[in-house]
Structures are given as C-alpha cells and as structure tokens.
Amino acid sequence: MSADPIQKIAAELSRLPGIGQKSAQRLAYHIASMPEEQVHSLASALWNGRKSIRQCPVCFNYTEDDLCPICADESRDNGQICVVREARDAAAIERMRDFKGRYHVLGGTLSPLNGIGPDDLRIKELIGRLSDPGIKEVIIATNPDIEGEATASYLARLIKPMGVRVTRIAHGVPVGSDLEYADEVTLSKALEGRREM
Amino acid sequence: MSADPIQKIAAELSRLPGIGQKSAQRLAYHIASMPEEQVHSLASALWNGRKSIRQCPVCFNYTEDDLCPICADESRDNGQICVVREARDAAAIERMRDFKGRYHVLGGTLSPLNGIGPDDLRIKELIGRLSDPGIKEVIIATNPDIEGEATASYLARLIKPMGVRVTRIAHGVPVGSDLEYADEVTLSKALEGRREM
C-alpha cells in the first residue's frame, strides 16, 4: 500500500523540526497529489537555495554573496553591534526597520548542560570585531530565557573591561498582551524597568 | 538581511497545507543550517519521489508500478472493495492489517457547494469494477462527516440495485476516548449501533 516513495518523502520531512510522523505523512500524500512542476519548484528552491547560502565571514549571518547585505551596506552605523543567537533573530529585528547598526550571530547560547561553552559560539570573532575603535555599543539581544541571560552576563563581563558600552534589550510585558496573563517574572521585570512618562 | 534563497524556500514551504508563514520561515532557516547532503536527500526524495508516483489504473491508489501492490497481490480477496476518499485513507486502513479485500479511491467526496459532483469522482470506474460477478460487497469508508455521508448514501442508492451488498463503517465512540467529551451525534450513533455482549 504505502507506495515506497511516499514513505521516503514522509521520512525525510519528519526529520524537520516541528513536523511529526502524522504531519509528515499528510504532507507526503499532498506532495504525491501536487502537479509535477510544483514539486520541482519546491525541491529546487530547497536544493539550489541551500547550495547558494553561505555565512557572512564578519557577522555570520546567511548570505548569497561574500559579505551579507547588512555588512556590505555602507550606510549602516558601524558604532553598534547587535548580538543575536541565530540569523533568524537578526531577521526579526530587521523586520522592525528601526535598528541601523550591524549584527553578530553567536550561533547558539551558552548551555553547560548541553556541553555548549564559549568556544562553541562565535565569541572570539565578536571580541575580534571590537578592536575597531569605532564600536561604541554592543546590544545583547539573546532570548530572555535562562541560557540567553547567562550568555548576556558572560558577554557583558567580557566586553565591559574593553571600554565598550554593553546594553541588554528590555524585558517587560509584550505590547498588546493582557497583564492578567503575564507571568510574575515578566511582570516584576516590567515594574523594575518602568520609565517616567 | 533576509537572504533571498531563504525567503524563496519559505515561500515554497508555505504553500504546503498546514505550514503557515511563521513555520515556513522557521523551517527555511533550519534548512539553511542543515548540512548540504541532508538538504540534497530531502530535495531528491521530494522530486524523485513525485516523479516515480503514478495512479493505479484499477483502484487509483498511488503506485510506482503499473498496478498498485494491493491490486497486484493475488492473495487478496476479490469479493470486497473498500471505497475511500483519498489514498491516505486506504493507507490508514492497511496499517490495521485486518482488511484483506481491494480498495477504490474516489478522489474526493460529493460537495455540491464546491461544485464537486459524481462526474468529478471515480464513481464510473467503481461501477465498472462491479461488473465482475465475484464482487460481493462494497464497504464505504468515506469520512463520517456530511460530505462523506452524502457520498455514501449516493453510492448505496447506485450500487444496491446491482445486487451487490453495500455496507458502511460503524460510527461510535472512538476506543480510548472519554464518553464525557464525545459529541451528541457520535454518542447517539454509538447507542443506535449497540451490540449484544
């Protein structure tokens, strides 16, 4: 019954994050029913896309060219580096169109339990970039979770002695959310970080 | 920022059912980070898989060969045809390893609102198969929803006059479920279909 190619498609799809056995099956049957040219365009976007993607040697963002579009953009502010865990976090900040500095993609966060230490992240490369005297501020935008916070404090301890300002993105209640449903830690951070109006 | 190939991958993925913009983005970034050979194996499973899949000319299941493995299997019972909406429904029944007859994939269910009438389904082909005097029973296993029921009654009215027994899969409370959460229609069907113990 289970025509072999369908099972093979399902097996490959189920290796992707967030796609379980059942949805992989569903998707595989859907792909079997799709017009050939649509499947071709999907498969070639995956393969040609992956082949053309490299890492920017400066900030470790994804790029098709030698430098990523942001590092190559001369109009951006050299004085600020925003440190993120993954390239997709930089993409999220870019979507807001507010930040005009540069990025640095760590490639993860410190996680001693998973054996991820400073040498497994692109921290040495970040420190290397700070030798440029034009850099005034490092904004740490790792996730507001335990590992993200630990990574942020580690970086702050490392960078501050170099005379560069280190800042952390604000914690607080998300815009549009309901106070009633905010957890206590977020609420207490929101109170702590209150501002004059 | 948004390296173009990543957006292209995300756009292709978001055309698949059940994959929204956000998960397509997430998957695309994951694919950018995957080893090239894994992406190659995914892309080629999709494309080579799709290319090798055809429809069985007898039951309209998916197959790599001329006939699907079930139609080609001489040990199966020619007397029973189980009618399903999609190939994946036949796969679900096969997983149970209980049914030993043949299948017929309708390719949909009657849905006047969506403009799907009898001629859009493989009903003519099903009737054609019933000219074989060996066929004793048609089991209708369309979904227990409005369209599935309408299709089942339509088929029953069509087939019964040909002297072939037509049955419908049982409706009732799913095994392992909680009566408290069963909806009223299911519960009333379960009561209606009660059996001696």
Side-chain angles (χ1 to χ4, degrees):
Chain A
M1 158 64 38
S2 52
D4 251 8
I6 294 186
Q7 292 317 310
K8 220 167 146 186
I9 292 173
E12 286 288 343
L13 289 172
S14 69
R15 295 166 70 178
L16 296 174
I19 299 192
Q21 297 288 348
K22 283 242 171 177
S23 28
Q25 286 280 344
R26 242 194 124 78
L27 286 171
Y29 274 103
H30 178 80
I31 284 159
S33 75
M34 270 162 71
E36 279 205 14
E37 60 279 13
Q38 271 182 33
V39 180
H40 186 262
S41 120
L42 168 61
S44 69
L46 292 173
W47 176 233
N48 294 325
R50 176 63 189 85
K51 261 197 310 183
S52 67
I53 292 170
R54 346 179 201 177
Q55 270 177 341
C56 173
V58 176
C59 74
F60 299 95
N61 223 321
Y62 293 120
T63 177
E64 283 180 279
D65 303 306
D66 288 340
L67 280 182
C68 79
I70 292 173
C71 287
D73 183 347
E74 304 211 342
S75 74
R76 295 191 69 125
D77 181 1
N78 278 319
Q80 290 183 318
I81 294 183
C82 178
V83 176
V84 292
R85 192 182 59 168
E86 309 275 8
R88 66 165 176 267
D89 298 328
I93 294 175
E94 276 304 285
R95 271 197 289 280
M96 159 187 98
R97 291 163 197 275
D98 251 357
F99 178 66
K100 290 297 169 215
R102 314 277 181 178
Y103 289 95
H104 190 84
V105 178
L106 286 179
T109 37
L110 295 175
S111 175
L113 286 176
N114 297 310
I116 298 175
D119 292 341
D120 301 307
L121 307 179
R122 293 173 205 117
I123 292 179
K124 228 176 300 170
E125 291 85 347
L126 174 62
I127 302 302
R129 292 177 71 182
L130 300 183
S131 63
D132 174 347
I135 292 168
K136 305 288 178 234
E137 180 180 2
V138 172
I139 302 168
I140 304 182
T142 52
N143 280 340
D145 54 17
I146 294 178
E147 296 180 353
E149 295 302 344
T151 309
S153 344
Y154 179 88
L155 289 176
R157 276 200 307 274
L158 208 63
I159 297 169
K160 273 201 229 159
M162 302 172 70
V164 176
R165 188 176 167 215
V166 181
T167 57
R168 178 87 176 102
I169 50 164
H171 295 346
V173 281
V175 177
S177 67
D178 195 325
L179 270 199
E180 196 183 346
Y181 299 117
D183 66 289
E184 289 142 44
V185 183
T186 300
L187 217 48
S188 105
K189 293 271 183 191
L191 212 60
E192 198 183 305
R194 68 192 180 279
R195 296 181 174 202
E196 286 313 325
M197 291 183 60
Chain B
M1 157 68 33
S2 51
D4 251 6
I6 294 187
Q7 292 317 314
K8 220 167 146 186
I9 293 174
E12 286 288 342
L13 288 172
S14 68
R15 296 166 70 178
L16 296 174
I19 298 192
Q21 297 289 349
K22 283 242 170 178
S23 29
Q25 284 282 343
R26 242 195 125 78
L27 285 171
Y29 274 102
H30 178 81
I31 284 159
S33 74
M34 272 163 69
E36 278 205 15
E37 61 278 15
Q38 271 181 34
V39 180
H40 186 261
S41 120
L42 168 61
S44 70
L46 292 175
W47 175 234
N48 293 326
R50 176 62 189 84
K51 262 196 312 184
S52 66
I53 293 170
R54 348 179 199 179
Q55 271 179 340
C56 173
V58 177
C59 75
F60 299 95
N61 222 320
Y62 293 121
T63 177
E64 283 181 280
D65 304 307
D66 289 340
L67 280 183
C68 78
I70 293 174
C71 288
D73 183 347
E74 303 211 343
S75 75
R76 295 192 69 127
D77 182 1
N78 279 319
Q80 290 182 317
I81 295 183
C82 178
V83 177
V84 291
R85 190 182 61 167
E86 309 276 6
R88 65 165 177 268
D89 298 328
I93 295 175
E94 276 303 283
R95 271 197 289 281
M96 171 186 89
R97 290 163 197 275
D98 251 357
F99 178 66
K100 291 294 168 218
R102 314 279 182 179
Y103 289 95
H104 191 85
V105 178
L106 287 178
T109 37
L110 294 176
S111 174
L113 286 178
N114 298 309
I116 299 175
D119 291 341
D120 301 305
L121 307 179
R122 295 177 203 113
I123 292 179
K124 229 177 298 172
E125 292 85 346
L126 173 62
I127 302 302
R129 290 177 71 181
L130 300 183
S131 62
D132 174 346
I135 292 168
K136 305 288 178 237
E137 181 180 2
V138 171
I139 302 168
I140 304 181
T142 51
N143 280 340
D145 55 17
I146 294 178
E147 296 181 352
E149 295 302 344
T151 309
S153 343
Y154 178 88
L155 290 176
R157 275 200 308 274
L158 208 64
I159 297 170
K160 273 201 228 157
M162 302 172 69
V164 177
R165 189 177 166 212
V166 181
T167 57
R168 179 87 176 100
I169 51 165
H171 293 348
V173 282
V175 177
S177 67
D178 194 325
L179 269 199
E180 197 184 344
Y181 299 117
D183 64 290
E184 288 141 44
V185 183
T186 301
L187 218 49
S188 105
K189 292 273 184 191
L191 211 61
E192 197 183 305
R194 68 191 181 280
R195 296 180 174 202
E196 285 313 327
M197 291 185 59

